[in-house]
Amino acid sequence: MIDLRQKDKLYIANTYARFPVEISYGKGSILYDADGKEYIDLGSGIAVNSFGVSDSEWADAVKAQLDCVQHTSNLYYSKPCVELAQMLCTRTGMKKVFFSNSGAEANECAIKTARKYAAEKHGEEYYNIITLKNSFHGRTITTLAATGQDVFHKNFQPLTPGFLFADANDLSSVEKLVKANKTAAVMVEPVQGEGGVMPLDEKFVKGVYELCKREDILLIIDEVQTGNGRTGKLYAFMNYGIKPDIVTTAKGLGGGLPIGACMFGEKCENVLSYGDHGSTFGGNPAVAAGAVNILNRIDDKLLGEVTKKSEYIFGELSGAKGVISVSGMGLMIGIKTVRPAKEIVNECIGMGVLCLTAKDKVRLLPALNIPFDLLKKAIEIVKAVCNR
Ligand SMILES: *Cc1c(COP(=O)(O)O)cnc(C)c1O
């Protein structure tokens, strides 16, 4: 482990502050480090391992595809990719999908689409995109520009122009920006994940939806983190009774392999045409075959369990000693603690529980299928550590 840490520092760009744990294997929501120490995982690789690690059903689906053909390029037709797109459209009411490899790329696609839609419909000067303060939309130069947090912008100027930041849960702040600027789209995360697990109010989301409809502005919902069952619905926008024009997702969709998806509604399903966009790996057959398996298993029964587990966590931690507040939706939970979040997370690691942070909060993103007994055991530990 010491050797590994030294080599990591020597050979890997120092962009990550890693916890002192080397994960070597695991099953479901139990992970083991190189010394064989056991951990209950409440992070699932940042909402990626929807059914935990080395899930056999998912792994079998990927392996079966690997034994057929692992990659074809997008120059040929490929069944897993089409099957996945059809499932996504059927279950969301969206019309078409573009596949990429990450959340940032899914958002890049959404931004390109919104700009082209507005340019054709209203004129090329209608390029502005309104996002929210405290948002997170990715690490590319354009998705950084879309991210409403100055800390991410420092040292990377000039970013892509045309992004404006409104206050979350303040409809008039969005309206003002729309009025003052030629606007192509509004882009929001239903729950601001990296921003500290802050859900948007239903009234605000509905208001933005109505505003966009009225002004013929595209509503882009960034479901990179909130999607794929995480909030107790297949996609979090379904909690709000709205119909977005574009939905982006990534993280949990692939069950552990990289995939991003940008889904288009009626208004913009045919905006991108031949040559407008592309990706070498996007919709890779092995990844898509795994994602088909994941989506198939995110059914009403599982979503009901996500909600029950969420209620359990909220019930245990709200008002607990050392806990100031609990926020979030479904199995995407932020805990504001009396002691610094980092301290709590490090002590939890010592006690065999892996949690994350988001800004000044402890963040929990367990696998959707984490067994109840394991969850209970882990939450008791988190609770005890908060109370220290
Ligand atoms: C993680 C995240 C992204 C970026 O996804 P990558 O796959 O890391 O590019 C974008 N938006 C939201 C809301 C995210 O949580």
Side-chain angles (χ1 to χ4, degrees):
M1 177 70 193
I2 297 290
D3 188 41
L4 187 77
R5 281 163 78 168
Q6 282 165 349
K7 278 190 186 164
D8 183 296
K9 204 168 165 51
L10 197 57
Y11 293 115
I12 295 180
N14 296 307
T15 59
Y16 302 109
R18 301 194 205 280
F19 292 109
V21 180
E22 178 195 346
I23 307 289
S24 27
Y25 64 105
K27 190 77 195 161
S29 289
I30 296 198
L31 302 180
Y32 296 91
D33 69 13
D35 305 322
K37 181 177 169 179
E38 192 178 294
Y39 299 88
I40 303 172
D41 182 19
L42 298 183
S44 58
I46 320 186
V48 165
N49 300 328
S50 302
F51 290 87
V53 298
S54 61
D55 173 78
S56 49
E57 263 193 61
W58 165 81
D60 286 346
V62 175
K63 282 182 221 164
Q65 185 59 42
L66 287 177
D67 287 336
C68 294
V69 56
Q70 81 276 25
H71 176 79
T72 58
S73 86
N74 281 303
L75 299 174
Y76 310 101
Y77 293 99
S78 158
K79 197 172 158 191
C81 182
V82 174
E83 212 181 335
L84 179 60
Q86 184 181 5
M87 280 174 85
L88 284 168
C89 290
T90 308
R91 292 189 64 185
T92 59
M94 304 302 281
K95 299 297 175 195
K96 277 191 169 60
V97 185
F98 180 89
F99 289 114
S100 57
N101 314 289
S102 68
E105 285 175 290
N107 286 338
E108 288 270 350
C109 178
I111 291 163
K112 280 178 75 173
T113 304
R115 288 218 166 139
K116 190 178 176 198
Y117 174 84
E120 288 181 337
K121 197 91 188 272
H122 306 300
E124 273 187 343
E125 66 281 18
Y126 281 77
Y127 58 74
N128 290 296
I129 294 176
I130 296 165
T131 70
L132 299 179
K133 290 174 190 164
N134 197 44
S135 58
F136 183 84
H137 296 294
R139 300 281 196 164
T140 62
I141 287 290
T142 296
T143 55
L144 268 188
T147 292
Q149 299 186 60
D150 289 341
V151 281
F152 291 106
H153 297 167
K154 213 179 131 229
N155 298 331
F156 301 114
Q157 303 288 347
L159 301 175
T160 306
F163 290 90
L164 303 156
F165 309 117
D167 293 309
N169 296 326
D170 179 357
L171 185 59
S172 72
S173 131
V174 182
E175 283 168 343
K176 265 184 216 150
L177 287 177
V178 167
K179 232 179 219 133
N181 302 277
K182 295 186 162 65
T183 305
V186 178
M187 175 154 84
V188 301
E189 302 156 85
V191 181
Q192 295 189 326
E194 305 304 311
V197 201
M198 306 292 291
L200 297 181
D201 297 342
E202 189 172 344
K203 214 175 135 211
F204 173 73
V205 176
K206 282 191 166 144
V208 171
Y209 167 62
E210 293 298 335
L211 172 71
C212 289
K213 214 162 59 172
R214 212 164 49 237
E215 303 282 335
D216 194 12
I217 290 167
L218 296 188
L219 175 58
I220 305 169
I221 305 288
D222 179 346
E223 298 244 19
V224 171
Q225 192 163 152
T226 54
N228 315 300
R230 182 53 53 190
T231 68
K233 296 267 197 247
L234 184 60
Y235 289 95
F237 78 82
M238 296 166 173
N239 287 302
Y240 296 97
I242 58 161
K243 218 169 164 260
D245 298 301
I246 299 180
V247 176
T248 60
T249 193
K251 290 190 169 87
L253 179 60
L257 287 173
I259 187 167
C262 182
M263 301 179 241
F264 309 112
E266 271 141 23
K267 260 193 182 179
C268 54
E269 62 173 313
N270 295 314
V271 166
L272 292 183
S273 52
Y274 174 69
D276 276 341
H277 202 41
S279 167
T280 300
F281 284 111
N284 169 278
V287 183
V292 165
N293 175 269
I294 295 291
L295 266 194
N296 259 327
R297 292 156 71 195
I298 305 178
D299 55 13
D300 288 343
K301 183 164 171 280
L302 184 89
L303 292 170
E305 281 166 23
V306 166
T307 303
K308 262 194 224 140
K309 287 169 194 169
S310 175
E311 284 164 2
Y312 168 76
I313 299 173
F314 269 90
E316 282 299 302
L317 295 176
S318 305
K321 281 221 178 88
V323 172
I324 296 166
S325 61
V326 187
S327 65
M329 205 187 263
L331 287 178
M332 183 172 175
I333 290 177
I335 312 160
K336 204 170 164 79
T337 50
V338 173
R339 292 196 295 137
K342 198 92 188 194
E343 217 172 280
I344 305 276
V345 171
N346 277 318
E347 287 175 34
C348 283
I349 289 175
M351 304 278 290
V353 174
L354 300 181
C355 311
L356 308 167
T357 59
K359 278 200 148 172
D360 60 341
K361 291 188 183 159
V362 176
R363 174 169 49 159
L364 309 182
L365 295 164
L368 306 180
N369 70 339
I370 184 172
F372 226 108
D373 56 333
L374 272 189
L375 181 67
K376 276 189 176 155
K377 204 170 144 191
I379 293 298
E380 268 160 35
I381 291 170
V382 173
K383 209 169 148 178
V385 170
C386 288
N387 189 20
R388 274 183 192 169

